[in-house]
């Protein structure tokens, strides 16, 4: 019916490619930064793709020393003159992200005594920024562990309590149902900062301040309500005859719930667990308010950026570690989530 | 059955009986089942939601000497540095970002709702920013917005500018718009997904019928597509507004504290930068209460304005 003419097709193509570029290009540059060495960070213009090797020029100098030249996009410049292996090693590591023993470098450079100034190429240590992130940012490794644990706690609490409530909302008619429904809506919409500050006081009272379970208790608040909604909409769709058949064959309500209803509700549970995971994984403001030492990875990355922009490549590497689990988790449960969103195909 | 002896709380038993007249014996205790199932959630919310909310409300009406005082904390808050700017910026940010994001998302959703080769792949690409943690988004854009960053690289290679721009010195409205730009990059896809879901639920027959009766594309969009999308739009706008009012991490990470003050940015400022001071404790309480209040008022006004109460559950 509505055939497009060539102009409309062109406009659509332009809009869509603009969209693709505006998503992909920043991500490419970002990855490039995360793999950049210190010298590459001061480079301008920035490369779209990361470099995987370093090329330097070395000239022999007096007293067994070597002069090192680096090309910063504007021709070779003298950077350093030394003959000290450990100094060389540190310089290559810190500035270029190249981890090669100093003795090996000196051995390579000694060829210049015969051949004159030469160019050398070394592979970059691609994990250097990632190692640096964990090495220089306080608490980053425990924080990664904390984030995983808090997310698991949150999923566990939200799914257990939420799916029970969701089942009740879908299957039974009872008094106050409408009121409970509205309460769930309010709790779900309630701004997380509104609850975090007084929650800190409560958790101190319970001795749960600065603990992982304390954080999970907070993150579960919106997610129990969310799980209740998501699961109730699925439970309504599940064939009731199946449950009744199970009851007739002598299973009690709990057994029916666990063996028949739960497996059928799996997509809803997968979607809810994704939301629970993302709440816990992505939050910084509540973690900032509710923790001191037991920080989560998102908070550590937030703090890593500090006030200056130096060393931002380490923070970038840290954020890639932060992004990956969320991406993986999102795309594993993607198809279930799509069912929840009314079947947007991907 | 002696119904007179039933207490109010046991009334659902009657409902249960009405629903299933056969099998009456097991239904007597079955009436309690929904309450048993809801009990954990009820206890949870009583302890971890209602208690903090109420104690928070008590706190904001208590002055530093522990006495009841209706306005003292609000006076403190209003007189605090940058509070007026934080309010203005939050309002500006919420309004402008939601409008821009909906315009773009609707455009893309309508374009992508046509099935063509590669539309699935495009939808997938559009979704990527959604899955990126906000903290990481902030760092991503900070690497771009520094003077030697990739934003200047792009602008200069397109010959749009001659000298690198120092974005991070942005102040006032410019700073807010910088944050809006970053937020749109992250959030627009999720809005688009919701709208796409609404569009896919649209029946093709409706459109075809309109065509047969001679409606043009704009009429179809205005009179069929938009009304069908309305529920998805209303629900997602509310979710967006709530999130937009709570913006802070991007602003702090990209620009630093005090550069682009927002309500929640102020809370983080008092928690992180000046902790331990008595006034900052009171300020965090009052600010978080105010933020919550603003979220609620905005939601209510918006729902009234859109004249159609959303059904909770189901469509979001």
């Amino acid at each position: 019916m509505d055939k497009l003419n060539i102009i409309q097709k062109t406009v659509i193509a332009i809009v869509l490619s603009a969209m693709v570029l505006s998503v992909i290009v920043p991500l490419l540059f970002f990855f490039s930064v995360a793999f950049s060495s210190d010298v590459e960070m001061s480079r301008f213009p920035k490369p779209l793709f990361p470099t995987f090797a370093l090329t330097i020029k070395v000239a022999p100098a007096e007293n067994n020393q070597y002069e090192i030249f680096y090309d910063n996009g504007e021709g070779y410049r003298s950077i350093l003159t030394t003959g000290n292996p450990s100094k060389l090693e540190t310089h290559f590591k810190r500035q270029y992200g190249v981890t090669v023993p100093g003795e090996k470098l000196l051995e390579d450079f000694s060829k210049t005594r015969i051949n004159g100034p030469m160019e050398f190429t070394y592979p970059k240590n691609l994990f250097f920024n990632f190692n640096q992130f964990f090495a220089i940012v306080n608490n980053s490794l425990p924080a990664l562990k904390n984030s995983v644990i808090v997310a698991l706690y949150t999923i566990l609490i939200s799914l257990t309590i939420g799916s029970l409530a969701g089942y009740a909302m879908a299957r039974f008619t009872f008094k106050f149902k409408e009121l409970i429904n509205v309460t769930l809506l309010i709790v779900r919409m309630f701004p997380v900062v509104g609850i975090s500050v007084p929650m800190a006081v409560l958790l101190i009272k319970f001795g749960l301040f600065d603990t992982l379970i304390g954080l999970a208790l907070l993150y579960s608040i919106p997610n129990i309500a969310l799980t209740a909604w998501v699961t109730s909409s699925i439970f309504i769709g599940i064939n009731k005859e199946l449950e009744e058949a199970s009851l007739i064959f002598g299973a009690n309500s709990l057994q029916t719930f666990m063996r028949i209803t739960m497996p059928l509700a799996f997509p809803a549970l997968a979607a809810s667990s994704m939301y629970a995971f993302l709440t816990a994984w992505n939050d910084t403001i509540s973690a900032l308010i509710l923790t001191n030492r037991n920080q989560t990875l998102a908070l550590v990355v937030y703090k890593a950026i500090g006030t200056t922009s130096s060393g931002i490549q380490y923070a970038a590497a840290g954020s890639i570690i932060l992004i990956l689990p969320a991406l993986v988790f999102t795309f594993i449960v993607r198809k279930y989530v799509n069912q929840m969103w009314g079947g947007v195909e991907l | 059955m002696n119904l007179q002896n039933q207490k109010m709380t046991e009334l659902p038993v009657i409902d249960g009986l009405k629903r299933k007249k056969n099998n009456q014996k097991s239904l007597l205790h079955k009436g309690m089942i929904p309450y048993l199932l809801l009990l954990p959630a009820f206890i949870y919310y009583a302890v971890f939601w209602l208690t903090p909310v109420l104690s928070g409300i008590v706190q904001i009406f208590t002055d530093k000497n522990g006495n009841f005082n209706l306005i003292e904390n609000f006076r403190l808050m209003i007189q605090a540095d940058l509070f007026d700017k934080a309010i203005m910026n939050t309002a500006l940010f919420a309004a402008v970002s939601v409008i821009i994001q909906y315009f773009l998302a609707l455009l893309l959703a309508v374009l992508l709702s046509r099935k063509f080769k590669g539309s699935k792949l495009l939808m997938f690409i559009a979704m990527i920013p959604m899955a990126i943690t906000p903290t990481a988004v902030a760092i991503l854009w900070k690497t771009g917005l520094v003077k030697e960053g990739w934003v200047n690289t792009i602008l200069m290679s397109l010959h749009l500018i001659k000298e690198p721009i120092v974005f991070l010195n942005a102040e006032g409205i410019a700073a807010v718009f910088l944050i809006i730009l970053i937020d749109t990059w992250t959030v627009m896809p999720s809005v688009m997904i919701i709208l796409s879901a609404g569009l896919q639920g649209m029946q093709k027959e409706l459109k075809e019928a309109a065509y047969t009766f001679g409606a043009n594309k704009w009429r179809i969009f205005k009179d069929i597509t938009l009304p069908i999308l309305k529920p998805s739009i209303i629900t997602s706008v509310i979710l967006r507004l709530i999130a937009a009012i709570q913006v802070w991490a991007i602003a702090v990470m990209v620009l630093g504290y005090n550069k682009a003050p927002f309500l929640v940015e102020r809370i983080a400022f008092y928690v992180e930068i000046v902790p331990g001071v008595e006034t900052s404790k009171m300020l965090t309480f009052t600010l978080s209460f105010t933020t919550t209040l603003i979220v609620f008022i905005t939601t209510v006004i918006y729902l009234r304005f859109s004249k159609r109460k959303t059904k909770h559950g189901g469509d979001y």
Side-chain angles (χ1 to χ4, degrees):
Chain A
M1 39 175 254
D2 50 341
K3 282 269 178 291
L4 297 171
N5 64 34
I6 186 83
I7 298 169
Q8 286 168 319
K9 272 186 185 166
T10 320
V11 170
I12 289 179
I14 289 172
V15 172
L16 291 181
S17 35
M19 187 236 14
V20 171
L21 285 178
S22 61
V23 172
I24 298 291
V25 169
L27 281 173
L28 281 177
F29 274 116
F30 180 54
F31 275 97
S32 171
V33 167
F35 289 102
S36 287
S37 64
D38 209 47
V39 283
E40 285 167 329
M41 283 307 291
S42 54
R43 208 170 211 182
F44 187 80
K46 285 271 178 288
L48 189 55
F49 298 101
T51 55
F52 298 106
L54 160 89
T55 302
I56 40 134
K57 201 168 169 183
V58 178
E62 289 170 4
N63 304 332
N64 273 337
Q65 290 191 327
Y66 298 96
E67 189 170 6
I68 292 158
F69 298 86
Y70 176 75
D71 182 2
N72 198 12
E74 299 154 343
Y76 278 115
R77 273 200 201 150
S78 173
I79 301 284
L80 177 81
T81 307
T82 184
N84 182 338
S86 67
K87 202 172 172 188
L88 264 180
E89 190 176 322
T90 319
H91 176 75
F92 270 63
K93 201 169 79 181
R94 289 258 174 83
Q95 298 294 309
Y96 313 125
V98 171
T99 41
V100 175
E103 284 76 14
K104 169 79 167 57
L105 288 172
L106 280 182
E107 195 188 314
D108 289 351
F109 295 167
S110 65
K111 290 177 198 156
T112 59
R113 301 252 169 240
I114 307 151
N115 302 343
M118 281 170 73
E119 282 189 352
F120 291 92
T121 300
Y122 294 99
K124 260 165 64 180
N125 180 351
L126 289 181
F127 298 106
F128 180 72
N129 287 349
F130 295 86
N131 290 338
Q132 277 298 93
F133 171 76
F134 285 117
I136 62 175
V137 178
N138 283 338
N139 282 333
S140 42
L141 210 52
L144 175 61
K145 203 181 92 193
N146 288 348
S147 270
V148 174
I149 295 172
V150 171
L152 290 179
Y153 280 155
T154 310
I155 293 175
L156 195 73
I157 298 172
S158 320
L159 256 58
T160 321
I161 301 179
S163 60
L164 289 176
Y167 187 77
M169 302 299 288
R171 278 284 185 273
F172 301 93
T173 37
F174 48 93
K175 229 194 163 187
F176 308 125
K177 188 171 178 175
E178 204 48 31
L179 180 73
I180 291 171
N181 228 335
V182 173
T183 314
L184 287 179
L185 178 81
I186 294 173
V187 173
R188 162 83 185 96
M189 301 276 185
F190 205 85
V192 69
V193 280
I195 197 88
S196 303
V197 179
M199 185 75 158
V201 181
L202 186 78
L203 289 180
I204 289 172
K205 226 178 268 172
F206 287 166
L208 289 173
F209 184 79
D210 198 15
T211 61
L212 303 181
I213 193 79
L215 264 184
L217 286 171
L218 178 84
Y219 296 145
S220 300
I221 290 171
N223 281 302
I224 289 173
L226 187 69
T227 309
W229 279 349
V230 174
T231 50
S232 81
S233 64
I234 284 275
F235 284 138
I236 286 173
I238 291 175
N239 201 336
K240 225 182 156 181
E241 277 74 42
L242 260 178
E243 288 180 4
E244 279 166 353
S246 151
L247 285 170
I248 287 166
F249 283 112
N252 63 32
S253 297
L254 187 69
Q255 284 170 326
T256 310
F257 182 71
M258 294 311 289
R259 301 243 173 97
I260 308 282
T261 319
M262 272 307 193
L264 285 171
F266 185 73
L269 297 179
S272 313
S273 63
M274 187 199 79
Y275 291 122
F277 176 86
L278 289 181
T279 313
W281 192 264
N282 288 349
D283 166 80
T284 38
I285 184 75
S286 307
L288 183 68
I289 295 171
L290 292 180
T291 62
N292 267 331
R293 288 179 302 120
N294 287 316
Q295 299 176 338
T296 57
L297 189 62
L299 184 60
V300 163
V301 170
Y302 159 77
K303 289 201 164 166
I305 200 152
T307 42
T308 63
S309 54
S310 65
I312 196 173
Q313 71 269 32
Y314 307 132
S319 8
I320 286 185
I321 298 167
L322 185 64
I323 291 171
L324 280 181
L327 265 182
V328 170
F329 198 84
T330 308
F331 288 113
I332 288 176
V333 298
R334 188 175 89 243
K335 59 178 180 182
Y336 305 115
V337 177
N338 295 334
Q339 287 178 14
M340 300 308 308
W341 287 106
V344 179
E345 281 183 46
L346 285 174
Chain B
M1 293 297 298
N2 188 358
L3 285 177
Q4 276 87 353
N5 290 345
Q6 303 274 348
K7 280 181 218 147
M8 283 297 282
T9 46
E10 285 165 347
L11 269 178
V13 175
I14 306 166
D15 284 9
L17 285 170
K18 275 181 193 160
R19 271 193 317 117
K20 286 188 191 172
K21 280 161 197 145
N22 51 353
N23 206 1
Q24 287 196 348
K25 271 184 193 167
S26 68
L27 279 176
L28 252 179
H29 73 267
K30 211 180 172 183
M32 289 307 291
I33 289 181
Y35 293 106
L36 285 177
L37 292 174
L38 282 166
L39 193 65
F42 179 78
I43 294 174
Y44 196 95
Y45 282 139
V47 176
F48 295 112
W49 186 71
L50 201 60
T51 316
V53 167
L54 292 180
S55 73
I57 292 174
V58 170
Q59 279 289 333
I60 58 157
F61 294 118
T62 309
D63 67 11
K64 56 178 184 287
N65 302 322
N67 301 322
F68 174 81
N69 195 318
L70 202 58
I71 51 159
E72 171 64 17
N73 287 322
F74 289 99
R75 200 182 54 80
L76 258 181
M77 177 179 76
I78 290 166
Q79 286 173 350
D81 286 346
L82 296 174
F83 174 76
D84 48 341
K85 273 193 179 161
I87 286 273
M88 294 294 288
N89 285 349
T90 307
L92 182 72
F93 177 85
V96 176
S97 71
V98 169
I99 290 169
I100 293 180
Q101 286 155 14
Y102 270 78
F103 177 74
L104 286 176
L106 195 59
L107 180 74
L108 281 177
V110 170
L111 289 184
L112 284 172
S113 72
R114 297 171 182 284
K115 287 281 161 279
F116 56 88
K117 216 178 163 188
S119 59
K120 282 184 187 177
L121 180 70
L122 284 179
M123 186 71 102
F124 178 78
I125 291 172
M127 271 185 70
I128 297 175
M130 211 172 106
I132 301 180
T133 311
T135 324
V137 170
I139 292 179
L140 185 154
W141 281 92
K142 183 144 187 175
T143 63
L145 293 169
V146 290
K147 195 178 166 220
E148 284 151 348
W150 48 263
V151 174
N152 276 326
T153 303
I154 295 171
L155 292 177
M156 282 177 77
S157 64
L158 294 174
H159 299 287
L160 291 174
I161 53 167
K162 288 210 169 68
E163 286 293 312
I165 301 172
V166 191
F167 292 100
L168 298 182
N169 284 356
E171 275 175 23
I173 304 258
V176 177
F177 271 88
L178 205 60
I179 308 300
I180 289 176
L181 207 74
I182 298 173
D183 188 66
T184 302
W185 186 82
T186 331
V187 158
M188 206 271 290
S190 59
V191 180
M192 191 194 72
I193 297 290
I194 297 172
L195 296 182
S196 299
L199 278 177
Q200 280 182 4
M202 184 161 69
Q203 285 167 333
K204 236 185 163 172
E205 289 73 25
L206 269 177
K207 255 180 145 180
E208 275 162 14
Y211 251 104
T212 338
F213 286 110
N216 63 25
K217 274 188 182 145
W218 171 244
R219 282 294 301 275
I220 290 176
F221 179 74
K222 191 169 73 76
D223 292 341
I224 295 179
T225 312
L226 272 186
I228 285 177
L229 277 181
K230 207 179 168 192
S232 339
I233 293 180
I234 290 174
T235 330
S236 55
V237 163
I238 293 173
L239 290 176
R240 271 319 306 151
L241 278 175
I242 293 173
I245 292 169
Q246 297 179 71
V247 62
W248 81 284
I250 300 174
V252 173
M253 291 177 75
V254 173
L255 297 169
Y257 280 113
N258 303 334
K259 294 284 263 319
F262 291 103
L263 277 173
V264 177
E265 183 256 10
R266 293 286 88 202
I267 297 176
F269 176 76
Y270 292 118
V271 171
E272 195 185 357
I273 306 296
V274 279
V277 186
E278 187 60 26
T279 49
S280 58
K281 190 185 149 211
M282 297 324 294
L283 281 169
T284 43
F285 268 107
T286 320
L287 277 166
S288 65
F289 175 80
T290 310
T291 312
T292 311
L293 205 64
I294 289 175
V295 165
F296 267 96
I297 292 170
T298 315
T299 313
V300 170
I301 290 176
Y302 177 76
L303 283 177
R304 278 281 150 78
F305 188 66
S306 61
K307 280 185 193 144
R308 184 194 168 281
K309 294 241 157 120
T310 39
K311 265 185 75 179
H312 20 266
D315 49 18
Y316 49 88

